[in-house]
Amino acid sequence: MAMHQDYLMRYIQQFVEALVRSATRVEERQDFQGAARSLDNAVANAADMDVEVLLGFAPESLASIVNVMGVDPRLVEYMARSLVLAGDYYGRAGSMDVSLLRVQQGQALANAFGIDLDRPWEVLPEGAEVPAVPEPGLFLDD
């Protein structure tokens, strides 16, 4: 059980790092395309698949594959929200086809796993310590 929690925390921390990096790219450089690609990489790494393969699936197919792979539902929420955010970034970068696909993929994951994307993310209480995980960001590519 502890090993599963370490695995889960490692991937959640990687998603948080990808979210921070993408927000920084948008804020400092207006690099919406780069920010979206960073989120794409985080999603693909969580599913342990090649980014081009995984994110090329039709929305319902992506949801089915993630379900069959047995990805932890708590991790799937990060994947779904990251896909929707990446879709927003792609749209701002002018890549409307990719934007629409990412939003649909995120929504398909949310629907398949019963995730309410309108509900805000749960936030740690102020002052709470985030558990340390080994080698943060190990699987993230820029």
Side-chain angles (χ1 to χ4, degrees):
M1 183 65 146
M3 187 172 186
H4 177 74
Q5 290 292 61
D6 288 347
Y7 153 84
L8 182 62
M9 287 306 300
R10 182 179 71 216
Y11 281 110
I12 289 173
Q13 183 168 350
Q14 290 173 0
F15 269 107
V16 170
E17 290 171 358
L19 289 166
V20 168
R21 270 203 324 263
S22 67
T24 300
R25 281 182 170 199
V26 166
E27 199 172 293
E28 292 178 359
R29 296 184 261 163
Q30 297 294 304
D31 180 10
F32 293 103
Q33 192 83 20
R37 281 195 309 268
S38 181
L39 294 172
D40 284 351
N41 285 324
V43 171
N45 288 327
D48 197 27
M49 290 186 76
D50 178 75
V51 68
E52 298 301 321
V53 171
L54 181 72
L55 298 174
F57 285 117
E60 291 74 23
S61 297
L62 175 64
S64 295
I65 289 166
V66 169
N67 189 30
V68 168
M69 293 176 70
V71 177
D72 189 292
R74 294 168 289 186
L75 190 55
V76 174
E77 182 168 359
Y78 281 87
M79 294 170 72
R81 290 178 182 270
S82 294
L83 285 167
V84 171
L85 182 58
D88 178 56
Y89 289 161
Y90 278 120
R92 292 172 188 241
S95 301
M96 299 313 290
D97 290 343
V98 179
S99 173
L100 181 60
L101 178 61
R102 290 298 181 270
V103 170
Q104 290 173 340
Q105 288 170 325
Q107 190 62 57
L109 277 180
N111 292 343
F113 284 82
I115 297 164
D116 179 4
L117 292 177
D118 292 329
R119 178 186 53 78
W121 290 42
E122 292 182 23
V123 181
L124 291 173
E126 189 172 329
E129 187 173 322
V130 177
V133 294
E135 303 180 65
L138 178 65
F139 301 106
L140 295 178
D141 299 324
D142 256 336

